[in-house]
Tab-separated table of all heavy atoms in Angstrom:
chain	number	residue	atom	x	y	z
A	30	ASN	N	61.195	99.368	79.143
A	30	ASN	CA	61.996	99.683	80.326
A	30	ASN	C	63.335	98.950	80.306
A	30	ASN	O	64.318	99.442	80.832
A	30	ASN	CB	61.258	99.270	81.600
A	30	ASN	CG	59.933	99.991	81.754
A	30	ASN	OD1	59.751	101.084	81.224
A	30	ASN	ND2	59.016	99.376	82.461
A	31	ASN	N	63.314	97.751	79.720
A	31	ASN	CA	64.512	96.927	79.770
A	31	ASN	C	64.361	95.751	78.815
A	31	ASN	O	63.283	95.545	78.227
A	31	ASN	CB	64.738	96.416	81.199
A	31	ASN	CG	66.190	96.532	81.589
A	31	ASN	OD1	67.072	96.226	80.802
A	31	ASN	ND2	66.435	96.997	82.798
A	33	GLN	N	65.853	91.513	78.012
A	33	GLN	CA	66.665	90.360	78.362
A	33	GLN	C	66.778	89.422	77.162
A	33	GLN	O	65.842	89.317	76.358
A	33	GLN	CB	66.031	89.566	79.531
A	33	GLN	CG	66.272	90.178	80.892
A	33	GLN	CD	65.832	89.272	82.045
A	33	GLN	OE1	64.924	89.600	82.782
A	33	GLN	NE2	66.501	88.128	82.199
A	35	PHE	N	67.581	85.299	76.381
A	35	PHE	CA	67.598	83.981	77.003
A	35	PHE	C	67.980	82.924	75.973
A	35	PHE	O	67.699	83.077	74.788
A	35	PHE	CB	66.199	83.600	77.535
A	35	PHE	CG	65.664	84.473	78.629
A	35	PHE	CD1	64.900	85.587	78.320
A	35	PHE	CD2	65.890	84.168	79.953
A	35	PHE	CE1	64.375	86.387	79.320
A	35	PHE	CE2	65.362	84.965	80.968
A	35	PHE	CZ	64.613	86.073	80.645
A	37	GLN	N	67.042	78.947	75.480
A	37	GLN	CA	66.294	77.788	75.953
A	37	GLN	C	66.978	76.553	75.389
A	37	GLN	O	66.995	76.341	74.165
A	37	GLN	CB	64.824	77.823	75.532
A	37	GLN	CG	64.004	76.706	76.172
A	37	GLN	CD	62.514	76.899	76.033
A	37	GLN	OE1	62.006	77.399	75.031
A	37	GLN	NE2	61.763	76.496	77.061
A	41	GLY	N	64.635	72.391	77.699
A	41	GLY	CA	63.561	73.327	78.030
A	41	GLY	C	63.928	74.405	79.026
A	41	GLY	O	63.135	75.310	79.293
A	43	LEU	N	65.328	77.743	80.595
A	43	LEU	CA	65.573	79.119	80.135
A	43	LEU	C	66.759	79.684	80.896
A	43	LEU	O	66.694	79.861	82.111
A	43	LEU	CB	64.346	79.993	80.389
A	43	LEU	CG	63.244	79.961	79.342
A	43	LEU	CD1	62.008	80.661	79.864
A	43	LEU	CD2	63.689	80.604	78.037
A	45	ASN	N	69.494	82.724	81.494
A	45	ASN	CA	69.740	84.155	81.283
A	45	ASN	C	71.060	84.365	80.559
A	45	ASN	O	72.099	83.848	80.968
A	45	ASN	CB	69.814	84.879	82.631
A	45	ASN	CG	68.464	85.018	83.277
A	45	ASN	OD1	67.627	84.122	83.164
A	45	ASN	ND2	68.242	86.115	83.970
A	48	TYR	N	71.001	90.990	80.412
A	48	TYR	CA	69.996	91.953	80.872
A	48	TYR	C	70.541	93.289	80.407
A	48	TYR	O	71.542	93.767	80.936
A	48	TYR	CB	69.885	91.855	82.388
A	48	TYR	CG	69.003	92.861	83.073
A	48	TYR	CD1	67.624	92.842	82.905
A	48	TYR	CD2	69.553	93.809	83.927
A	48	TYR	CE1	66.817	93.748	83.567
A	48	TYR	CE2	68.750	94.723	84.590
A	48	TYR	CZ	67.387	94.684	84.409
A	48	TYR	OH	66.584	95.587	85.062
A	86	PHE	N	65.625	83.581	72.832
A	86	PHE	CA	64.512	84.513	72.968
A	86	PHE	C	65.021	85.870	73.438
A	86	PHE	O	65.886	85.950	74.302
A	86	PHE	CB	63.516	84.028	74.025
A	86	PHE	CG	62.716	82.819	73.630
A	86	PHE	CD1	63.055	81.561	74.102
A	86	PHE	CD2	61.610	82.942	72.801
A	86	PHE	CE1	62.313	80.448	73.751
A	86	PHE	CE2	60.859	81.833	72.440
A	86	PHE	CZ	61.211	80.580	72.917
A	90	TYR	N	60.657	94.384	78.672
A	90	TYR	CA	59.848	94.738	79.833
A	90	TYR	C	58.825	95.785	79.417
A	90	TYR	O	59.166	96.833	78.909
A	90	TYR	CB	60.728	95.304	80.937
A	90	TYR	CG	61.473	94.257	81.698
A	90	TYR	CD1	62.623	93.680	81.160
A	90	TYR	CD2	61.047	93.830	82.945
A	90	TYR	CE1	63.314	92.712	81.854
A	90	TYR	CE2	61.745	92.862	83.645
A	90	TYR	CZ	62.876	92.311	83.098
A	90	TYR	OH	63.558	91.353	83.784
A	92	THR	N	55.831	97.661	81.386
A	92	THR	CA	55.470	97.847	82.790
A	92	THR	C	56.174	96.757	83.590
A	92	THR	O	57.397	96.738	83.647
A	92	THR	CB	53.957	97.872	83.019
A	92	THR	OG1	53.374	96.671	82.521
A	92	THR	CG2	53.340	99.052	82.304
A	93	ASP	N	55.473	95.831	84.184
A	93	ASP	CA	56.103	94.870	85.080
A	93	ASP	C	56.363	93.509	84.461
A	93	ASP	O	56.961	92.655	85.100
A	93	ASP	CB	55.220	94.652	86.317
A	93	ASP	CG	55.022	95.923	87.077
A	93	ASP	OD1	55.865	96.825	86.966
A	93	ASP	OD2	54.006	96.023	87.781
A	94	LYS	N	55.897	93.268	83.250
A	94	LYS	CA	55.981	91.902	82.729
A	94	LYS	C	56.895	91.826	81.510
A	94	LYS	O	57.154	92.807	80.835
A	94	LYS	CB	54.597	91.400	82.353
A	94	LYS	CG	53.869	92.265	81.332
A	94	LYS	CD	52.478	91.724	81.127
A	94	LYS	CE	51.688	92.519	80.095
A	94	LYS	NZ	51.251	93.812	80.621
A	95	LEU	N	57.392	90.617	81.278
A	95	LEU	CA	58.209	90.365	80.103
A	95	LEU	C	57.317	89.953	78.938
A	95	LEU	O	56.464	89.079	79.083
A	95	LEU	CB	59.208	89.247	80.381
A	95	LEU	CG	60.479	89.587	81.140
A	95	LEU	CD1	61.274	88.316	81.418
A	95	LEU	CD2	61.325	90.583	80.390
A	97	PHE	N	57.714	88.229	75.365
A	97	PHE	CA	58.711	87.446	74.652
A	97	PHE	C	58.497	87.511	73.151
A	97	PHE	O	57.362	87.560	72.658
A	97	PHE	CB	58.629	85.978	75.075
A	97	PHE	CG	59.285	85.683	76.385
A	97	PHE	CD1	58.643	85.937	77.582
A	97	PHE	CD2	60.571	85.165	76.421
A	97	PHE	CE1	59.257	85.678	78.790
A	97	PHE	CE2	61.193	84.895	77.631
A	97	PHE	CZ	60.541	85.150	78.811
B	33	TYR	N	56.782	85.659	89.183
B	33	TYR	CA	56.021	85.728	87.946
B	33	TYR	C	55.707	84.300	87.487
B	33	TYR	O	56.539	83.396	87.661
B	33	TYR	CB	56.840	86.406	86.833
B	33	TYR	CG	57.436	87.743	87.189
B	33	TYR	CD1	58.576	87.833	87.972
B	33	TYR	CD2	56.878	88.922	86.710
B	33	TYR	CE1	59.140	89.059	88.291
B	33	TYR	CE2	57.431	90.158	87.018
B	33	TYR	CZ	58.562	90.214	87.812
B	33	TYR	OH	59.112	91.428	88.115
B	35	TYR	N	54.616	82.139	83.928
B	35	TYR	CA	54.519	82.175	82.472
B	35	TYR	C	54.090	80.796	81.975
B	35	TYR	O	54.384	79.777	82.590
B	35	TYR	CB	55.873	82.523	81.840
B	35	TYR	CG	56.369	83.914	82.125
B	35	TYR	CD1	57.080	84.203	83.289
B	35	TYR	CD2	56.133	84.949	81.234
B	35	TYR	CE1	57.546	85.492	83.556
B	35	TYR	CE2	56.588	86.235	81.480
B	35	TYR	CZ	57.292	86.498	82.641
B	35	TYR	OH	57.741	87.763	82.899
B	37	GLN	N	54.258	78.352	78.473
B	37	GLN	CA	54.831	78.169	77.144
B	37	GLN	C	54.110	77.011	76.461
B	37	GLN	O	54.221	75.861	76.883
B	37	GLN	CB	56.330	77.877	77.204
B	37	GLN	CG	56.963	77.792	75.823
B	37	GLN	CD	58.460	77.597	75.865
B	37	GLN	OE1	58.999	76.992	76.794
B	37	GLN	NE2	59.164	78.115	74.873
B	43	LEU	N	55.634	81.874	74.617
B	43	LEU	CA	55.823	82.168	76.050
B	43	LEU	C	54.958	83.360	76.422
B	43	LEU	O	55.156	84.459	75.897
B	43	LEU	CB	57.285	82.505	76.320
B	43	LEU	CG	58.153	81.395	76.859
B	43	LEU	CD1	59.614	81.702	76.633
B	43	LEU	CD2	57.897	81.209	78.355
B	45	PHE	N	53.034	85.699	79.577
B	45	PHE	CA	52.947	86.098	80.971
B	45	PHE	C	51.554	85.804	81.509
B	45	PHE	O	50.550	86.095	80.858
B	45	PHE	CB	53.242	87.596	81.072
B	45	PHE	CG	52.907	88.218	82.398
B	45	PHE	CD1	53.710	88.010	83.513
B	45	PHE	CD2	51.798	89.026	82.527
B	45	PHE	CE1	53.404	88.596	84.734
B	45	PHE	CE2	51.478	89.621	83.741
B	45	PHE	CZ	52.281	89.396	84.844
B	48	GLN	N	51.736	88.188	88.149
B	48	GLN	CA	52.872	88.582	88.965
B	48	GLN	C	52.429	88.887	90.382
B	48	GLN	O	51.385	89.515	90.593
B	48	GLN	CB	53.551	89.833	88.396
B	48	GLN	CG	54.737	90.290	89.228
B	48	GLN	CD	55.052	91.775	89.078
B	48	GLN	OE1	54.371	92.484	88.348
B	48	GLN	NE2	56.078	92.229	89.765
B	55	ARG	N	50.212	91.934	91.557
B	55	ARG	CA	50.610	93.231	91.010
B	55	ARG	C	50.212	93.403	89.542
B	55	ARG	O	49.902	94.499	89.109
B	55	ARG	CB	52.104	93.421	91.137
B	55	ARG	CG	52.560	94.771	90.659
B	55	ARG	CD	53.972	95.084	91.014
B	55	ARG	NE	54.390	96.288	90.307
B	55	ARG	CZ	54.230	97.519	90.779
B	55	ARG	NH1	53.689	97.706	91.970
B	55	ARG	NH2	54.612	98.567	90.076
B	56	ALA	N	50.273	92.327	88.783
B	56	ALA	CA	49.930	92.448	87.365
B	56	ALA	C	49.344	91.137	86.882
B	56	ALA	O	49.709	90.064	87.362
B	56	ALA	CB	51.163	92.817	86.541
B	88	LEU	N	54.293	73.993	79.169
B	88	LEU	CA	55.379	74.132	80.144
B	88	LEU	C	55.077	75.405	80.931
B	88	LEU	O	54.882	76.473	80.338
B	88	LEU	CB	56.690	74.246	79.380
B	88	LEU	CG	58.022	74.130	80.095
B	88	LEU	CD1	58.089	72.930	80.998
B	88	LEU	CD2	59.150	74.078	79.071
B	90	PHE	N	56.360	78.073	83.651
B	90	PHE	CA	57.568	78.596	84.282
B	90	PHE	C	57.215	79.574	85.389
B	90	PHE	O	56.278	80.365	85.271
B	90	PHE	CB	58.441	79.357	83.270
B	90	PHE	CG	59.172	78.497	82.299
B	90	PHE	CD1	58.743	78.398	80.984
B	90	PHE	CD2	60.309	77.803	82.678
B	90	PHE	CE1	59.426	77.624	80.064
B	90	PHE	CE2	60.997	77.021	81.776
B	90	PHE	CZ	60.554	76.928	80.466
B	97	ILE	N	60.719	95.173	90.918
B	97	ILE	CA	59.884	95.304	89.728
B	97	ILE	C	60.730	95.796	88.561
B	97	ILE	O	61.550	96.685	88.710
B	97	ILE	CB	58.736	96.270	90.044
B	97	ILE	CG1	57.847	95.630	91.111
B	97	ILE	CG2	57.925	96.598	88.798
B	97	ILE	CD1	57.087	96.591	91.933
B	98	SER	N	60.510	95.179	87.382
B	98	SER	CA	61.217	95.527	86.150
B	98	SER	C	62.719	95.302	86.251
B	98	SER	O	63.491	95.918	85.529
B	98	SER	CB	60.939	96.983	85.726
B	98	SER	OG	59.614	97.131	85.310
B	99	LEU	N	63.119	94.427	87.153
B	99	LEU	CA	64.530	94.054	87.254
B	99	LEU	C	64.710	92.655	86.678
B	99	LEU	O	63.747	91.951	86.401
B	99	LEU	CB	64.997	94.127	88.699
B	99	LEU	CG	64.944	95.521	89.307
B	99	LEU	CD1	65.368	95.489	90.766
B	99	LEU	CD2	65.820	96.488	88.516
B	100	GLU	N	65.954	92.246	86.528
B	100	GLU	CA	66.256	90.999	85.833
B	100	GLU	C	65.489	89.841	86.452
B	100	GLU	O	65.488	89.656	87.676
B	100	GLU	CB	67.745	90.719	85.875
B	100	GLU	CG	68.151	89.515	85.048
B	100	GLU	CD	69.661	89.387	84.904
B	100	GLU	OE1	70.388	90.143	85.558
B	100	GLU	OE2	70.099	88.507	84.124
B	101	GLN	N	64.838	89.045	85.590
B	101	GLN	CA	64.079	87.891	86.048
B	101	GLN	C	64.890	86.632	85.812
B	101	GLN	O	65.547	86.475	84.781
B	101	GLN	CB	62.750	87.791	85.297
B	101	GLN	CG	61.805	88.947	85.605
B	101	GLN	CD	60.449	88.784	84.942
B	101	GLN	OE1	59.981	87.679	84.669
B	101	GLN	NE2	59.787	89.912	84.700
B	102	TYR	N	64.808	85.713	86.773
B	102	TYR	CA	65.476	84.426	86.707
B	102	TYR	C	64.407	83.335	86.704
B	102	TYR	O	63.506	83.364	87.541
B	102	TYR	CB	66.432	84.247	87.894
B	102	TYR	CG	67.590	85.200	87.855
B	102	TYR	CD1	67.476	86.481	88.387
B	102	TYR	CD2	68.800	84.835	87.258
B	102	TYR	CE1	68.542	87.374	88.328
B	102	TYR	CE2	69.869	85.714	87.215
B	102	TYR	CZ	69.729	86.990	87.736
B	102	TYR	OH	70.776	87.864	87.681
B	103	PHE	N	64.551	82.395	85.788
B	103	PHE	CA	63.507	81.387	85.575
B	103	PHE	C	63.852	80.053	86.225
B	103	PHE	O	65.014	79.622	86.231
B	103	PHE	CB	63.279	81.180	84.068
B	103	PHE	CG	62.445	82.258	83.448
B	103	PHE	CD1	62.944	83.540	83.300
B	103	PHE	CD2	61.152	81.992	83.043
B	103	PHE	CE1	62.158	84.549	82.744
B	103	PHE	CE2	60.355	82.987	82.482
B	103	PHE	CZ	60.866	84.264	82.341
Side-chain angles (χ1 to χ4, degrees):
Chain A
N30 299 335
N31 224 317
Q33 281 189 245
F35 296 91
Q37 187 167 36
L43 276 169
N45 287 36
Y48 174 68
F86 289 101
Y90 282 79
T92 57
D93 299 336
K94 57 184 181 286
L95 280 175
F97 281 81
Chain B
Y33 308 78
Y35 294 85
Q37 184 176 30
L43 262 161
F45 167 75
Q48 179 205 1
R55 183 169 170 89
L88 192 49
F90 286 105
I97 295 155
S98 291
L99 297 177
E100 186 170 7
Q101 294 185 27
Y102 294 86
F103 281 70

